Amino acid sequence: METYLILISAFFLDLICGEPPAVLHPVVYIGKLIGFFEKYFFKGNTFFQFLLGTCLSLLVITTFTIPPYFFLQFLKERIYPIYFLISVFLLKTTFAIRALKISAAAVKDSLSKRDYCRARSQLRSLVSRETGDLDERLIISAAVESVGENITDSVVSPWLSFVFFGVPGAMAFRAINTLDAMIGYHGKYEYFGKFASRLDDIVNFIPARIAGFLICFAGFLTGRGFYSPLTTMLREARKTESPNAGFSIGAIAGSLGVELEKPGHYRIGRSKNPLHTNTIQDAAEVLIITSSLALALCIGIILVKERIVD
């Protein structure tokens, strides 16, 4: 009972309050720790870079996993109400439904006012790609893609990590995902961030596929159908370089009946409907419904686990 109460409380805390101040947000400190040690670890040849990048990744993950575990155990045995509240708060910081919805809505609002410069600037909070030369269609596409991909990264993955490994598990996932976002890409960090990138692929492998199917079911519940997002997901999921991102992107493209494009990388979906600013709003609706489905799934898993243990 405790586990799903923590999850439900964190879910409503996110919807009501959104993100905590930066000074209280663990992810901010994960990023600072990565940035601090990067200047000492990022050096040498390719093999040495890989080795040091691996050490940095393990250091960050253990720092934000082991101490919280012992701290929460201490509180649980002595001051249970404080344990519960801190568990809810820490779990909430590992996912961001409201913040994702607000960021997407901000891009939509700027596009509605034809303020493309502002829309490109706001889009940077959603994507890591260069946004300076994107036209309206590509801005909308990037925003919808980000909503789809973050259903995995910012909802399903941290929740499943929590269900099976508790709050420290969710914190570990967030550390891994932040490492991947900061150093797990081609170019400068090709070898330095390879361990973080591959580890992120592994921990997201199952959640990404679950997220894709949940998006398909959300399409069914909203009258958009189940077959179209499912076939689009299965047909085009492997167009992305990431082994995981294409599943949720394909599912949301099929659900909305649009083609999503990252120039020079992929086109996913078929253009049954033109991309419009309201497409971003539709994607946000899919986000909320899929998150609710993911919550129900996680509660179901928790109840099955408790029954097995009993």
Side-chain angles (χ1 to χ4, degrees):
M1 184 174 180
E2 169 195 288
T3 307
Y4 67 75
L5 283 178
I6 290 173
L7 178 56
I8 292 171
S9 300
F11 174 72
F12 283 106
L13 179 63
D14 177 80
L15 293 185
I16 295 168
C17 300
E19 296 303 291
V23 70
L24 297 176
H25 208 308
V27 176
V28 172
Y29 295 99
I30 293 174
K32 287 184 176 181
L33 186 65
I34 295 169
F36 175 78
F37 281 108
E38 175 200 343
K39 56 189 175 186
Y40 298 107
F41 281 60
F42 184 60
K43 59 183 67 176
N45 56 32
T46 55
F47 174 76
F48 202 52
Q49 281 185 18
F50 173 77
L51 184 62
L52 290 176
T54 301
C55 291
L56 172 61
S57 298
L58 294 175
L59 172 64
V60 171
I61 295 166
T62 54
T63 299
F64 286 90
T65 304
I66 304 302
Y69 170 79
F70 285 108
F71 178 60
L72 290 174
Q73 286 298 113
F74 174 84
L75 290 176
K76 186 175 184 179
E77 294 170 2
R78 291 166 176 80
I79 320 173
Y80 186 84
I82 302 299
Y83 156 78
F84 183 87
L85 292 174
I86 292 180
S87 294
V88 170
F89 172 76
L90 289 177
L91 177 60
K92 183 270 146 299
T93 63
T94 66
F95 65 93
I97 301 169
R98 175 171 172 164
L100 181 58
K101 185 175 182 292
I102 289 173
S103 295
V107 174
K108 174 188 178 295
D109 184 60
S110 294
L111 288 175
S112 299
K113 297 174 181 176
R114 298 291 187 266
D115 190 345
Y116 298 113
C117 290
R118 185 174 178 80
R120 294 185 188 102
S121 176
Q122 291 166 329
L123 186 61
R124 295 192 189 102
S125 68
L126 291 170
V127 300
S128 58
R129 74 191 67 169
E130 176 56 48
T131 64
D133 58 350
L134 300 183
D135 60 21
E136 182 179 17
R137 182 181 67 85
L138 291 176
I139 292 171
I140 295 169
S141 178
V144 174
E145 289 171 56
S146 179
V147 170
E149 188 173 359
N150 274 289
I151 290 174
T152 298
D153 290 344
S154 294
V155 183
V156 178
S157 284
W159 285 1
L160 287 176
S161 299
F162 167 72
V163 166
F164 289 103
F165 305 106
V167 173
M171 295 290 291
F173 169 77
R174 184 48 56 211
I176 293 168
N177 194 243
T178 305
L179 280 159
D180 179 56
M182 292 185 67
I183 63 173
Y185 49 86
H186 293 307
K188 176 183 176 182
Y189 295 111
E190 177 73 28
Y191 294 95
F192 186 66
K194 193 172 288 291
F195 177 82
S197 176
R198 294 296 176 264
L199 188 57
D200 185 75
D201 289 342
I202 291 169
V203 298
N204 271 319
F205 187 85
I206 293 175
R209 285 143 183 84
I210 292 174
F213 281 104
L214 290 176
I215 293 170
C216 295
F217 193 47
F220 169 75
L221 292 178
T222 55
R224 297 186 177 96
F226 181 83
Y227 180 75
S228 179
L230 179 64
T231 54
T232 303
M233 178 182 74
L234 296 177
R235 182 181 66 243
E236 305 195 40
R238 289 174 175 79
K239 284 187 176 181
T240 60
E241 183 178 3
S242 163
N244 301 319
F247 284 87
S248 52
I249 294 174
I252 202 167
S255 179
L256 301 179
V258 297
E259 181 184 70
L260 301 176
E261 178 185 0
K262 183 177 181 180
H265 293 271
Y266 55 74
R267 288 186 176 188
I268 293 178
R270 293 178 179 173
S271 186
K272 298 177 184 177
N273 302 314
L275 286 170
H276 187 272
T277 54
N278 286 336
T279 308
I280 299 176
Q281 182 176 320
D282 293 339
E285 180 185 65
V286 172
L287 165 67
I288 297 300
I289 295 172
T290 306
S291 298
S292 300
L293 291 172
L295 181 67
L297 173 64
C298 289
I299 291 173
I301 294 172
I302 292 168
L303 293 175
V304 170
K305 281 181 60 186
E306 289 181 351
R307 183 176 292 273
I308 291 173
V309 171
D310 292 341

PDB file of all heavy atoms in Angstrom, residues 26-27 30 60-61 64-65 68 72 89-91 93-94 158 161-162 166-177:
ATOM      1  N   PRO A  26      17.025  17.767  -7.135  1.00  0.00           N
ATOM      2  CA  PRO A  26      18.197  16.873  -7.239  1.00  0.00           C
ATOM      3  C   PRO A  26      18.814  16.826  -8.628  1.00  0.00           C
ATOM      4  O   PRO A  26      20.034  16.696  -8.760  1.00  0.00           O
ATOM      5  CB  PRO A  26      17.617  15.498  -6.857  1.00  0.00           C
ATOM      6  CG  PRO A  26      16.425  15.801  -6.024  1.00  0.00           C
ATOM      7  CD  PRO A  26      15.851  17.069  -6.592  1.00  0.00           C
ATOM      8  N   VAL A  27      17.988  16.947  -9.675  1.00  0.00           N
ATOM      9  CA  VAL A  27      18.525  16.862 -11.030  1.00  0.00           C
ATOM     10  C   VAL A  27      19.484  18.013 -11.311  1.00  0.00           C
ATOM     11  O   VAL A  27      20.466  17.860 -12.049  1.00  0.00           O
ATOM     12  CB  VAL A  27      17.381  16.839 -12.067  1.00  0.00           C
ATOM     13  CG1 VAL A  27      17.939  16.838 -13.493  1.00  0.00           C
ATOM     14  CG2 VAL A  27      16.506  15.600 -11.859  1.00  0.00           C
ATOM     15  N   ILE A  30      22.655  16.839  -9.916  1.00  0.00           N
ATOM     16  CA  ILE A  30      23.237  15.806 -10.781  1.00  0.00           C
ATOM     17  C   ILE A  30      23.995  16.472 -11.911  1.00  0.00           C
ATOM     18  O   ILE A  30      25.135  16.118 -12.221  1.00  0.00           O
ATOM     19  CB  ILE A  30      22.127  14.882 -11.336  1.00  0.00           C
ATOM     20  CG1 ILE A  30      21.495  14.050 -10.223  1.00  0.00           C
ATOM     21  CG2 ILE A  30      22.709  13.950 -12.414  1.00  0.00           C
ATOM     22  CD1 ILE A  30      20.298  13.228 -10.673  1.00  0.00           C
ATOM     23  N   VAL A  60      28.538   9.249 -10.429  1.00  0.00           N
ATOM     24  CA  VAL A  60      27.306  10.047 -10.347  1.00  0.00           C
ATOM     25  C   VAL A  60      26.123   9.180  -9.943  1.00  0.00           C
ATOM     26  O   VAL A  60      25.325   9.558  -9.074  1.00  0.00           O
ATOM     27  CB  VAL A  60      27.038  10.746 -11.701  1.00  0.00           C
ATOM     28  CG1 VAL A  60      25.655  11.404 -11.703  1.00  0.00           C
ATOM     29  CG2 VAL A  60      28.115  11.792 -11.988  1.00  0.00           C
ATOM     30  N   ILE A  61      26.008   8.021 -10.543  1.00  0.00           N
ATOM     31  CA  ILE A  61      24.875   7.136 -10.243  1.00  0.00           C
ATOM     32  C   ILE A  61      24.889   6.702  -8.787  1.00  0.00           C
ATOM     33  O   ILE A  61      23.866   6.764  -8.091  1.00  0.00           O
ATOM     34  CB  ILE A  61      24.885   5.905 -11.181  1.00  0.00           C
ATOM     35  CG1 ILE A  61      24.646   6.344 -12.630  1.00  0.00           C
ATOM     36  CG2 ILE A  61      23.819   4.896 -10.752  1.00  0.00           C
ATOM     37  CD1 ILE A  61      24.976   5.273 -13.654  1.00  0.00           C
ATOM     38  N   PHE A  64      23.942   9.488  -6.228  1.00  0.00           N
ATOM     39  CA  PHE A  64      22.532   9.841  -6.125  1.00  0.00           C
ATOM     40  C   PHE A  64      21.630   8.622  -5.936  1.00  0.00           C
ATOM     41  O   PHE A  64      20.409   8.723  -6.100  1.00  0.00           O
ATOM     42  CB  PHE A  64      22.105  10.636  -7.368  1.00  0.00           C
ATOM     43  CG  PHE A  64      22.630  12.034  -7.357  1.00  0.00           C
ATOM     44  CD1 PHE A  64      23.872  12.329  -7.920  1.00  0.00           C
ATOM     45  CD2 PHE A  64      21.932  13.055  -6.743  1.00  0.00           C
ATOM     46  CE1 PHE A  64      24.378  13.625  -7.894  1.00  0.00           C
ATOM     47  CE2 PHE A  64      22.423  14.348  -6.714  1.00  0.00           C
ATOM     48  CZ  PHE A  64      23.659  14.633  -7.280  1.00  0.00           C
ATOM     49  N   THR A  65      22.226   7.498  -5.559  1.00  0.00           N
ATOM     50  CA  THR A  65      21.446   6.289  -5.292  1.00  0.00           C
ATOM     51  C   THR A  65      21.699   5.733  -3.898  1.00  0.00           C
ATOM     52  O   THR A  65      20.764   5.528  -3.116  1.00  0.00           O
ATOM     53  CB  THR A  65      21.769   5.196  -6.331  1.00  0.00           C
ATOM     54  OG1 THR A  65      21.543   5.702  -7.650  1.00  0.00           O
ATOM     55  CG2 THR A  65      20.882   3.975  -6.104  1.00  0.00           C
ATOM     56  N   PRO A  68      20.749   8.283  -0.786  1.00  0.00           N
ATOM     57  CA  PRO A  68      19.289   8.359  -0.579  1.00  0.00           C
ATOM     58  C   PRO A  68      18.703   7.061  -0.013  1.00  0.00           C
ATOM     59  O   PRO A  68      17.773   7.115   0.801  1.00  0.00           O
ATOM     60  CB  PRO A  68      18.746   8.632  -1.994  1.00  0.00           C
ATOM     61  CG  PRO A  68      19.857   9.312  -2.699  1.00  0.00           C
ATOM     62  CD  PRO A  68      21.105   8.680  -2.169  1.00  0.00           C
ATOM     63  N   LEU A  72      16.728   7.241   3.482  1.00  0.00           N
ATOM     64  CA  LEU A  72      15.314   6.891   3.545  1.00  0.00           C
ATOM     65  C   LEU A  72      15.065   5.719   4.500  1.00  0.00           C
ATOM     66  O   LEU A  72      14.055   5.696   5.208  1.00  0.00           O
ATOM     67  CB  LEU A  72      14.788   6.557   2.144  1.00  0.00           C
ATOM     68  CG  LEU A  72      14.665   7.750   1.184  1.00  0.00           C
ATOM     69  CD1 LEU A  72      14.285   7.288  -0.214  1.00  0.00           C
ATOM     70  CD2 LEU A  72      13.642   8.763   1.702  1.00  0.00           C
ATOM     71  N   PHE A  89       8.472  13.514  -2.493  1.00  0.00           N
ATOM     72  CA  PHE A  89       9.178  14.635  -3.126  1.00  0.00           C
ATOM     73  C   PHE A  89      10.283  14.141  -4.064  1.00  0.00           C
ATOM     74  O   PHE A  89      10.386  14.594  -5.213  1.00  0.00           O
ATOM     75  CB  PHE A  89       9.780  15.545  -2.055  1.00  0.00           C
ATOM     76  CG  PHE A  89      10.676  16.610  -2.617  1.00  0.00           C
ATOM     77  CD1 PHE A  89      10.149  17.724  -3.244  1.00  0.00           C
ATOM     78  CD2 PHE A  89      12.063  16.485  -2.530  1.00  0.00           C
ATOM     79  CE1 PHE A  89      10.980  18.704  -3.781  1.00  0.00           C
ATOM     80  CE2 PHE A  89      12.898  17.449  -3.062  1.00  0.00           C
ATOM     81  CZ  PHE A  89      12.357  18.568  -3.690  1.00  0.00           C
ATOM     82  N   LEU A  90      11.111  13.212  -3.591  1.00  0.00           N
ATOM     83  CA  LEU A  90      12.215  12.721  -4.416  1.00  0.00           C
ATOM     84  C   LEU A  90      11.706  12.010  -5.663  1.00  0.00           C
ATOM     85  O   LEU A  90      12.253  12.178  -6.760  1.00  0.00           O
ATOM     86  CB  LEU A  90      13.119  11.785  -3.607  1.00  0.00           C
ATOM     87  CG  LEU A  90      13.987  12.442  -2.528  1.00  0.00           C
ATOM     88  CD1 LEU A  90      14.763  11.391  -1.755  1.00  0.00           C
ATOM     89  CD2 LEU A  90      14.943  13.459  -3.147  1.00  0.00           C
ATOM     90  N   LEU A  91      10.656  11.213  -5.511  1.00  0.00           N
ATOM     91  CA  LEU A  91      10.103  10.536  -6.683  1.00  0.00           C
ATOM     92  C   LEU A  91       9.569  11.547  -7.678  1.00  0.00           C
ATOM     93  O   LEU A  91       9.783  11.413  -8.894  1.00  0.00           O
ATOM     94  CB  LEU A  91       8.987   9.573  -6.261  1.00  0.00           C
ATOM     95  CG  LEU A  91       8.278   8.854  -7.422  1.00  0.00           C
ATOM     96  CD1 LEU A  91       9.276   8.029  -8.229  1.00  0.00           C
ATOM     97  CD2 LEU A  91       7.150   7.983  -6.905  1.00  0.00           C
ATOM     98  N   THR A  93      10.621  14.446  -8.332  1.00  0.00           N
ATOM     99  CA  THR A  93      11.698  15.121  -9.068  1.00  0.00           C
ATOM    100  C   THR A  93      12.277  14.268 -10.187  1.00  0.00           C
ATOM    101  O   THR A  93      13.057  14.772 -10.994  1.00  0.00           O
ATOM    102  CB  THR A  93      12.844  15.537  -8.118  1.00  0.00           C
ATOM    103  OG1 THR A  93      13.441  14.370  -7.535  1.00  0.00           O
ATOM    104  CG2 THR A  93      12.341  16.454  -7.019  1.00  0.00           C
ATOM    105  N   THR A  94      11.906  12.994 -10.242  1.00  0.00           N
ATOM    106  CA  THR A  94      12.433  12.117 -11.300  1.00  0.00           C
ATOM    107  C   THR A  94      11.563  12.125 -12.550  1.00  0.00           C
ATOM    108  O   THR A  94      11.936  11.534 -13.552  1.00  0.00           O
ATOM    109  CB  THR A  94      12.577  10.667 -10.798  1.00  0.00           C
ATOM    110  OG1 THR A  94      11.284  10.110 -10.515  1.00  0.00           O
ATOM    111  CG2 THR A  94      13.448  10.602  -9.554  1.00  0.00           C
ATOM    112  N   PRO A 158      11.017   6.339 -15.221  1.00  0.00           N
ATOM    113  CA  PRO A 158      11.218   6.564 -13.783  1.00  0.00           C
ATOM    114  C   PRO A 158      10.173   5.855 -12.926  1.00  0.00           C
ATOM    115  O   PRO A 158      10.483   5.378 -11.829  1.00  0.00           O
ATOM    116  CB  PRO A 158      11.138   8.087 -13.641  1.00  0.00           C
ATOM    117  CG  PRO A 158      10.498   8.585 -14.889  1.00  0.00           C
ATOM    118  CD  PRO A 158      10.856   7.617 -15.948  1.00  0.00           C
ATOM    119  N   SER A 161      11.055   2.172 -12.772  1.00  0.00           N
ATOM    120  CA  SER A 161      12.238   2.050 -11.904  1.00  0.00           C
ATOM    121  C   SER A 161      11.831   2.107 -10.447  1.00  0.00           C
ATOM    122  O   SER A 161      12.335   1.360  -9.602  1.00  0.00           O
ATOM    123  CB  SER A 161      13.239   3.169 -12.219  1.00  0.00           C
ATOM    124  OG  SER A 161      13.693   3.096 -13.545  1.00  0.00           O
ATOM    125  N   PHE A 162      10.889   2.998 -10.137  1.00  0.00           N
ATOM    126  CA  PHE A 162      10.391   3.100  -8.772  1.00  0.00           C
ATOM    127  C   PHE A 162       9.633   1.842  -8.354  1.00  0.00           C
ATOM    128  O   PHE A 162       9.815   1.335  -7.238  1.00  0.00           O
ATOM    129  CB  PHE A 162       9.469   4.318  -8.642  1.00  0.00           C
ATOM    130  CG  PHE A 162       8.665   4.337  -7.370  1.00  0.00           C
ATOM    131  CD1 PHE A 162       9.271   4.600  -6.148  1.00  0.00           C
ATOM    132  CD2 PHE A 162       7.300   4.075  -7.395  1.00  0.00           C
ATOM    133  CE1 PHE A 162       8.535   4.600  -4.970  1.00  0.00           C
ATOM    134  CE2 PHE A 162       6.552   4.081  -6.220  1.00  0.00           C
ATOM    135  CZ  PHE A 162       7.175   4.336  -5.004  1.00  0.00           C
ATOM    136  N   GLY A 166      12.233   1.018  -5.983  1.00  0.00           N
ATOM    137  CA  GLY A 166      11.986   2.062  -5.011  1.00  0.00           C
ATOM    138  C   GLY A 166      12.483   3.427  -5.459  1.00  0.00           C
ATOM    139  O   GLY A 166      12.913   3.617  -6.600  1.00  0.00           O
ATOM    140  N   VAL A 167      12.427   4.383  -4.542  1.00  0.00           N
ATOM    141  CA  VAL A 167      12.871   5.747  -4.847  1.00  0.00           C
ATOM    142  C   VAL A 167      14.333   5.787  -5.306  1.00  0.00           C
ATOM    143  O   VAL A 167      14.656   6.480  -6.276  1.00  0.00           O
ATOM    144  CB  VAL A 167      12.654   6.678  -3.632  1.00  0.00           C
ATOM    145  CG1 VAL A 167      13.275   8.046  -3.874  1.00  0.00           C
ATOM    146  CG2 VAL A 167      11.162   6.830  -3.340  1.00  0.00           C
ATOM    147  N   PRO A 168      15.263   5.038  -4.663  1.00  0.00           N
ATOM    148  CA  PRO A 168      16.648   5.040  -5.159  1.00  0.00           C
ATOM    149  C   PRO A 168      16.751   4.559  -6.606  1.00  0.00           C
ATOM    150  O   PRO A 168      17.591   5.049  -7.364  1.00  0.00           O
ATOM    151  CB  PRO A 168      17.354   4.079  -4.202  1.00  0.00           C
ATOM    152  CG  PRO A 168      16.565   4.158  -2.940  1.00  0.00           C
ATOM    153  CD  PRO A 168      15.140   4.291  -3.389  1.00  0.00           C
ATOM    154  N   GLY A 169      15.889   3.611  -6.997  1.00  0.00           N
ATOM    155  CA  GLY A 169      15.891   3.150  -8.382  1.00  0.00           C
ATOM    156  C   GLY A 169      15.483   4.243  -9.343  1.00  0.00           C
ATOM    157  O   GLY A 169      16.078   4.408 -10.417  1.00  0.00           O
ATOM    158  N   ALA A 170      14.456   5.013  -8.966  1.00  0.00           N
ATOM    159  CA  ALA A 170      14.030   6.136  -9.802  1.00  0.00           C
ATOM    160  C   ALA A 170      15.114   7.207  -9.878  1.00  0.00           C
ATOM    161  O   ALA A 170      15.353   7.801 -10.934  1.00  0.00           O
ATOM    162  CB  ALA A 170      12.734   6.734  -9.248  1.00  0.00           C
ATOM    163  N   MET A 171      15.801   7.442  -8.755  1.00  0.00           N
ATOM    164  CA  MET A 171      16.901   8.403  -8.745  1.00  0.00           C
ATOM    165  C   MET A 171      18.052   7.927  -9.637  1.00  0.00           C
ATOM    166  O   MET A 171      18.681   8.719 -10.341  1.00  0.00           O
ATOM    167  CB  MET A 171      17.400   8.601  -7.315  1.00  0.00           C
ATOM    168  CG  MET A 171      16.393   9.236  -6.371  1.00  0.00           C
ATOM    169  SD  MET A 171      16.088  10.972  -6.730  1.00  0.00           S
ATOM    170  CE  MET A 171      17.662  11.694  -6.269  1.00  0.00           C
ATOM    171  N   ALA A 172      18.322   6.625  -9.595  1.00  0.00           N
ATOM    172  CA  ALA A 172      19.373   6.062 -10.443  1.00  0.00           C
ATOM    173  C   ALA A 172      19.035   6.264 -11.907  1.00  0.00           C
ATOM    174  O   ALA A 172      19.892   6.656 -12.714  1.00  0.00           O
ATOM    175  CB  ALA A 172      19.564   4.576 -10.134  1.00  0.00           C
ATOM    176  N   PHE A 173      17.761   6.014 -12.269  1.00  0.00           N
ATOM    177  CA  PHE A 173      17.359   6.237 -13.655  1.00  0.00           C
ATOM    178  C   PHE A 173      17.560   7.690 -14.055  1.00  0.00           C
ATOM    179  O   PHE A 173      18.078   7.988 -15.129  1.00  0.00           O
ATOM    180  CB  PHE A 173      15.898   5.855 -13.898  1.00  0.00           C
ATOM    181  CG  PHE A 173      15.430   6.342 -15.234  1.00  0.00           C
ATOM    182  CD1 PHE A 173      15.798   5.682 -16.382  1.00  0.00           C
ATOM    183  CD2 PHE A 173      14.707   7.529 -15.352  1.00  0.00           C
ATOM    184  CE1 PHE A 173      15.432   6.164 -17.642  1.00  0.00           C
ATOM    185  CE2 PHE A 173      14.338   8.021 -16.593  1.00  0.00           C
ATOM    186  CZ  PHE A 173      14.699   7.327 -17.744  1.00  0.00           C
ATOM    187  N   ARG A 174      17.136   8.625 -13.186  1.00  0.00           N
ATOM    188  CA  ARG A 174      17.266  10.032 -13.536  1.00  0.00           C
ATOM    189  C   ARG A 174      18.723  10.424 -13.694  1.00  0.00           C
ATOM    190  O   ARG A 174      19.071  11.226 -14.569  1.00  0.00           O
ATOM    191  CB  ARG A 174      16.568  10.890 -12.469  1.00  0.00           C
ATOM    192  CG  ARG A 174      16.548  12.376 -12.745  1.00  0.00           C
ATOM    193  CD  ARG A 174      16.096  12.720 -14.154  1.00  0.00           C
ATOM    194  NE  ARG A 174      14.792  12.171 -14.492  1.00  0.00           N
ATOM    195  CZ  ARG A 174      14.428  11.808 -15.715  1.00  0.00           C
ATOM    196  NH1 ARG A 174      15.270  11.925 -16.735  1.00  0.00           N
ATOM    197  NH2 ARG A 174      13.225  11.319 -15.941  1.00  0.00           N
ATOM    198  N   ALA A 175      19.617   9.862 -12.869  1.00  0.00           N
ATOM    199  CA  ALA A 175      21.050  10.140 -13.007  1.00  0.00           C
ATOM    200  C   ALA A 175      21.563   9.620 -14.351  1.00  0.00           C
ATOM    201  O   ALA A 175      22.307  10.309 -15.063  1.00  0.00           O
ATOM    202  CB  ALA A 175      21.819   9.507 -11.856  1.00  0.00           C
ATOM    203  N   ILE A 176      21.157   8.407 -14.723  1.00  0.00           N
ATOM    204  CA  ILE A 176      21.578   7.817 -15.999  1.00  0.00           C
ATOM    205  C   ILE A 176      21.082   8.651 -17.169  1.00  0.00           C
ATOM    206  O   ILE A 176      21.826   8.946 -18.109  1.00  0.00           O
ATOM    207  CB  ILE A 176      21.062   6.368 -16.109  1.00  0.00           C
ATOM    208  CG1 ILE A 176      21.750   5.471 -15.082  1.00  0.00           C
ATOM    209  CG2 ILE A 176      21.282   5.817 -17.516  1.00  0.00           C
ATOM    210  CD1 ILE A 176      21.102   4.104 -14.915  1.00  0.00           C
ATOM    211  N   ASN A 177      19.820   9.048 -17.114  1.00  0.00           N
ATOM    212  CA  ASN A 177      19.227   9.824 -18.196  1.00  0.00           C
ATOM    213  C   ASN A 177      19.873  11.202 -18.319  1.00  0.00           C
ATOM    214  O   ASN A 177      20.075  11.717 -19.430  1.00  0.00           O
ATOM    215  CB  ASN A 177      17.724   9.948 -17.959  1.00  0.00           C
ATOM    216  CG  ASN A 177      16.969  10.439 -19.175  1.00  0.00           C
ATOM    217  OD1 ASN A 177      16.365  11.506 -19.154  1.00  0.00           O
ATOM    218  ND2 ASN A 177      16.980   9.665 -20.239  1.00  0.00           N
TER     219      ASN A 177
END
